[in-house]
Amino acid sequence: MPPRYQRVFHVTTEAIYDAYLIPKQKTGPGNPLAVPIAVLIGIPLYSNAAGMIPITQVLTAKGMAMGTTLAFMMSVIGL
C-alpha cells in the first residue's frame, strides 16, 4: 500500500476508534474483554513502534486502561 493510502487508512481507523472503542465502558479497567477486543482490532493495522506512540498517548488520555493500550500497541507492531 503506498504511504499516502496508509495515512488515510490510519486516520480513518483512528476516527472509528474514537467513536466506538474509546468510551471507558468498553476499554476501561472494569471490562474483562477490553484486552481481547483491542488486540483483535489492532491485528489488521500495520505500523512501527514510533508511529504508535502518539496513538497510545491519545488512547490513554481518553480513558483507555494502560494494559489495554499496551496490548493494542503490541498487536499492531507484533502481529
Side-chain angles (χ1 to χ4, degrees):
M1 192 182 307
R4 64 181 160 201
Y5 296 121
Q6 286 179 349
R7 288 186 204 121
V8 170
F9 179 72
H10 286 288
V11 169
T12 305
T13 307
E14 180 64 32
I16 292 170
Y17 292 156
D18 194 27
Y20 297 106
L21 184 67
I22 300 299
K24 291 182 182 179
Q25 302 91 323
K26 296 180 183 175
T27 59
N31 186 1
L33 296 176
V35 172
I37 290 170
V39 169
L40 288 175
I41 291 173
I43 288 173
L45 301 178
Y46 177 77
S47 183
N48 58 5
M52 285 303 297
I53 290 173
I55 295 172
T56 56
Q57 287 177 342
V58 170
L59 291 174
T60 305
K62 290 192 176 230
M64 185 182 267
M66 182 58 72
T68 306
T69 305
L70 292 175
F72 171 73
M73 181 177 85
M74 293 310 298
S75 70
V76 172
I77 295 169
L79 300 175

